[in-house]
Amino acid sequence: MKLSKAIQNCTDDPMLSYRALARQAQERGIEVIGLDNSQPDSSTSDVFFAAAGAYVPEKLDYAPAKGLSIMAEALQNFYRRRGMNYALEDILVTAGASEALMFAMQCILDPDSEVIVPEPFYLSLRTVITVCGGQIRPLFTTPEEDYNYATREKIEALITPETRAILLCNPCNPTGKVLTRPEMQLIANIVKERGLWLIVDETYREFVYDGEADSFGQLPSLEQQLVLVDSASNSFSLGGARVGALITKNREFMRASAKLAQARRSVATLNQVAAAELYLMDDSAFSARRADYARRRDLCLEAMRAIPGVVCAEPSGALFLMARLPVDDTGRFQKWLLEEFDLDGQTILMAPGSCFYSTYGCGRSEVRISYVVEEQTLLRAMEILAEALRRYPGALRG
């Protein structure tokens, strides 16, 4: 018996091996401070649990394949408050952003179709694109240039007859890069001129610390080529509920994605009922959380830049920063941190940069750090990192 070539071309999550080492360190009595997480540590609102508890139907039925009307209406209202007018027919409720991205790729890719993706990128995208038969065309960036990629020269150099789409995460996981409005308009112009899809994961839109949180949905010229991906996982600390959305004014695309929704039947009814109430909450609920993570971002950035040899781009959004460390291989460094190093019984777990690159050999000196731990723990983690770099035999001196 054989497995498909598409699935054989997919790789395992590289973080699995490091998390296994972290568990072994914990079994030895070492406290491991996790800086590898990609979801907020703030509490889920009681509004969600109250709404779930209040929903007591006689029978818990399947939801419609495209989502419950109350969920779609809540999303419609949420986007309207952000200056975007979507009809209910433009919204498909999904099981988180991951399913939305999978649906999008299944709708637009043929074997060997190409998708331009700024690199480094969220590591699951490799599997999503590969299993749909596509190829990633990485748009290479570096911490020295603040992971900037929005130039006509860089983007157009990668467009070929096989290019189907540009896929962005804005704000970006893993870099925290946030596009400016002129950069967004430049990308919009390119996809219009070249007849490409623009798929944008905006799941971290509520975590923008410098300036306004703009959306590609606010650009009227993109109505037929833009597909937005959203999720309640980060905005509302609701990762376990698996509620997201695929949003586009392109009705042909929406009809195609509805076929996939029908095949998987529905997103959990109870979760939609409860999540809808969160999208109807006053937007002031985001302010305190945003200020909290902005403080953590600033603390982490200041501490990182104080470490000799570290190059750290300033993230404007999301929950992460990427940095270049003075080591030749952050994968080996992370392994050493978990197997051979501790500072007074503590060590740290980061995500080695190579996890976020498809270009062989790239990212080997970089790490992603998630500032989703409380401030004192974060500062302690920075102390541990600084001391580890002083002691690490493979550190690059000079």
Side-chain angles (χ1 to χ4, degrees), residues 14-320:
M15 285 304 298
L16 293 176
S17 61
Y18 299 111
R19 289 175 181 139
L21 291 176
R23 288 192 294 272
Q24 292 171 19
Q26 290 167 335
E27 290 168 0
R28 297 194 306 272
I30 303 298
E31 179 187 353
V32 180
I33 299 175
L35 303 177
D36 61 313
N37 207 338
S38 60
Q39 61 184 340
D41 63 329
S42 48
S43 299
T44 304
S45 172
D46 290 341
V47 170
F48 176 84
F49 299 110
Y55 183 69
V56 189
E58 183 176 331
K59 181 164 66 78
L60 190 60
D61 287 330
Y62 288 117
K66 285 193 64 176
L68 290 171
S69 59
I70 58 169
M71 186 68 229
E73 288 165 5
L75 282 160
Q76 183 186 48
N77 182 282
F78 184 81
Y79 274 86
R80 186 181 295 122
R81 300 199 306 267
R82 284 151 180 77
M84 292 169 272
N85 292 311
Y86 287 102
L88 294 179
E89 293 77 12
D90 301 331
I91 300 169
L92 187 148
V93 180
T94 61
S98 298
E99 184 179 67
L101 286 165
M102 182 70 78
F103 281 7
M105 294 300 104
Q106 288 173 314
C107 285
I108 68 172
L109 297 183
D110 288 316
D112 298 322
S113 295
E114 295 176 354
V115 182
I116 295 173
V117 185
E119 186 180 52
F121 53 78
Y122 179 51
L123 55 89
S124 293
L125 295 182
R126 190 180 317 177
T127 297
V128 169
I129 292 172
T130 300
V131 81
C132 293
Q135 304 286 331
I136 291 177
R137 290 278 284 174
L139 179 54
F140 184 69
T141 65
T142 68
E144 287 81 5
E145 58 182 1
D146 289 334
Y147 296 106
N148 288 322
Y149 59 83
T151 71
R152 182 173 287 273
E153 180 182 29
K154 280 187 173 184
I155 295 171
E156 290 192 329
L158 297 177
I159 297 175
T160 74
E162 301 303 320
T163 305
R164 288 290 175 87
I166 297 175
L167 172 57
L168 308 176
C169 182
N170 183 52
C172 180
N173 176 3
T175 66
K177 167 72 177 174
V178 178
L179 293 169
T180 65
R181 193 62 173 257
E183 288 172 332
M184 292 166 63
Q185 189 61 61
L186 170 68
I187 294 169
N189 293 342
I190 292 173
V191 297
K192 288 284 289 184
E193 293 163 11
R194 296 302 191 105
L196 303 176
W197 293 100
L198 179 61
I199 317 294
V200 187
D201 178 347
E202 294 190 344
T203 57
Y204 293 97
R205 186 181 52 245
E206 303 307 321
F207 299 94
V208 172
Y209 311 119
D210 306 312
E212 295 297 318
D214 290 328
S215 169
F216 276 93
Q218 296 164 341
L219 303 180
S221 62
L222 272 180
E223 287 190 354
Q224 293 304 302
Q225 290 168 277
L226 175 66
V227 178
L228 291 181
V229 170
D230 207 345
S231 171
S233 298
N234 299 304
S235 298
F236 301 103
S237 294
L238 206 65
R242 308 312 300 139
V243 176
L246 195 59
I247 301 171
T248 181
K249 291 181 180 291
N250 187 303
R251 295 298 168 82
E252 183 180 11
F253 182 98
M254 189 55 75
R255 285 193 296 270
S257 60
K259 297 176 185 177
L260 299 170
Q262 291 158 9
R264 63 90 163 99
R265 197 59 181 92
S266 69
V267 175
T269 300
L270 182 59
N271 292 358
Q272 290 189 64
V273 169
E277 294 300 316
L278 297 179
Y279 280 97
L280 296 173
M281 289 169 53
D282 189 282
D283 290 334
S284 62
F286 294 114
S287 299
R289 297 175 71 220
R290 191 180 299 116
D292 183 24
Y293 287 111
R295 283 194 303 273
R296 300 189 204 184
R297 185 271 312 258
D298 294 342
L299 287 171
C300 190
L301 188 63
E302 181 180 5
M304 290 292 289
R305 287 179 168 173
I307 301 174
V310 170
V311 177
C312 190
E314 180 170 349
S316 296
L319 304 168
F320 323 97

